[in-house]
Amino acid sequence: MYDIIIIGAGTAGLSAAIYASRAGKTALVLESKAYGGQIINTPDVENYPGIKNISGFDFATGLYEQAKECGAVVKIQGVLDVKKEASCFVVSTKRNTYEGRSLIIATGASNRPLGLEREKEMIGKGISYCATCDGAFFKGKDVAVIGGGNTALEDAGFLSNYCNKVYIVHRRDAFRGEPSSLERLKAKENVELVLDSVSEKIIGDETVSGLEVKNVKTGEKRILDVSGIFVAIGQVPQNELFKDLVTLDSSGYVVAGEDCRTSMDGVFVAGDCRTKKVRQLTTAASDGAVAALAACEYVDSIF
Ligand code: NAP
């Protein structure tokens, strides 16, 4: 039996693993894909205090290695079921069943789709949710990035380095992303902001050849002749698995305050999958520490 089972090996989960292991507790991290979570695809992290610039991959790899060196066990196994038993939590994957005295949910969130007709079938044919992964396919071409947050701005900056033209389509005229990133983009000749505009239609039969957008203020429609559409409109949590275990809010986030405690004793939540206002790398790492120390306290209290 592990003291703490952590579900998710992103920034929050791995930070929790570091803190739990350093506190002398046995920690198992279960992850369905690869370690790192969302940040692994970010080309440049420039807002993590103490680190001026690092790639998301290097950042995530550092966390992963640190967690393992501290003694945490990390397994790439997707969790299929979580149950509360009398004295522990039972977590099942396809390959095994694990018991934990406490649980930390750190499942993050996944890419939000635009919800356009044919969006799904055009994935890999011009629709992408990851500029770092797919950007190279669009070298010298025109592309659109949808969204107004940090991801959209970073994606646009990355793509502008080798695409012919990058449109940033945002539904408002104010951006959530960092002003410094926006200013850098505005200074680029091959970047055009298409503001107050929503995406309405994907053009193209076999592959994407355009995007129809509508200005929400004027009602005017415009077709952007692009062969790539990079969707960067935020994330949605994937907490279905926990809906009978802990309270979720109407958007599916695990309800918890800054103490990372959920509605169920012994279950804690860290990072982007919990109810919170600011979702940043720093807050994910911070949640990991808070949740791990709370879980340690809980484990000590029951034995
Ligand atoms: P985000 O900050 O939630 O931004 C999502 C953007 O998409 C918003 O501009 C939003 O518009 C727009 N949007 C949402 N739903 C939409 C829809 N259905 N149609 C059109 N537009 C829609 O998401 P994010 O950029 O992925 O960032 C997630 C978190 O990670 C943020 O806290 C961000 O700061 C952080 N992050 C940090 C770094 C870094 O530290 N280097 C890098 C990437 C991300 P509205 O503004 O109108 O709501």
Side-chain angles (χ1 to χ4, degrees), residues 45-228:
V45 177
E46 292 180 343
N47 57 4
Y48 197 87
I51 304 174
K52 271 198 207 160
N53 180 288
I54 188 170
S55 74
F57 180 80
D58 286 347
F59 181 86
T61 303
L63 269 181
Y64 171 70
E65 285 171 355
Q66 194 179 355
K68 292 203 15 158
E69 274 166 30
C70 287
V73 177
V74 183
K75 291 183 191 279
I76 303 300
Q77 289 181 30
V79 172
L80 301 176
D81 190 43
V82 181
K83 274 198 186 81
K84 165 97 175 99
E85 300 283 334
S87 61
C88 68
F89 296 93
V90 178
V91 179
S92 308
T93 70
K94 206 173 175 184
R95 282 192 236 152
N96 220 329
T97 296
Y98 302 96
E99 289 181 347
R101 295 186 172 95
S102 67
L103 206 65
I104 296 178
I105 301 169
T107 44
S110 61
N111 297 316
R112 173 181 288 123
L114 275 171
L116 290 184
E117 216 176 297
R118 296 170 61 237
E119 181 176 353
K120 247 190 187 163
E121 71 180 66
M122 295 305 252
I123 294 173
K125 298 172 183 168
I127 293 278
S128 170
Y129 300 85
C130 177
T132 323
C133 320
D134 302 329
F137 298 121
F138 299 89
K139 196 172 175 188
K141 298 186 173 165
D142 291 1
V143 298
V145 175
I146 321 297
N150 274 322
T151 304
L153 297 184
E154 282 189 0
D155 285 359
F158 178 70
L159 292 165
S160 68
N161 292 330
Y162 49 85
C163 289
N164 180 56
K165 170 124 190 179
V166 179
Y167 297 96
I168 304 175
V169 181
H170 181 34
R171 64 184 178 183
R172 297 188 294 136
D173 63 357
F175 284 80
R176 273 174 205 273
E178 285 188 14
S180 59
S181 307
L182 182 61
E183 288 315 309
R184 275 203 295 266
L185 286 169
K186 280 182 177 169
K188 294 201 170 202
E189 280 184 359
N190 65 339
V191 173
E192 180 180 335
L193 303 185
V194 182
L195 302 180
D196 299 313
S197 296
V198 292
S199 307
E200 290 224 309
K201 194 173 169 193
I202 298 166
I203 319 276
D205 296 329
E206 297 294 307
T207 55
V208 170
S209 61
L211 174 69
E212 186 177 293
V213 297
K214 186 173 102 179
N215 186 303
V216 290
K217 287 189 174 156
T218 63
E220 191 188 325
K221 292 194 180 189
R222 174 181 175 190
I223 290 178
L224 307 175
D225 293 322
V226 293
S227 45

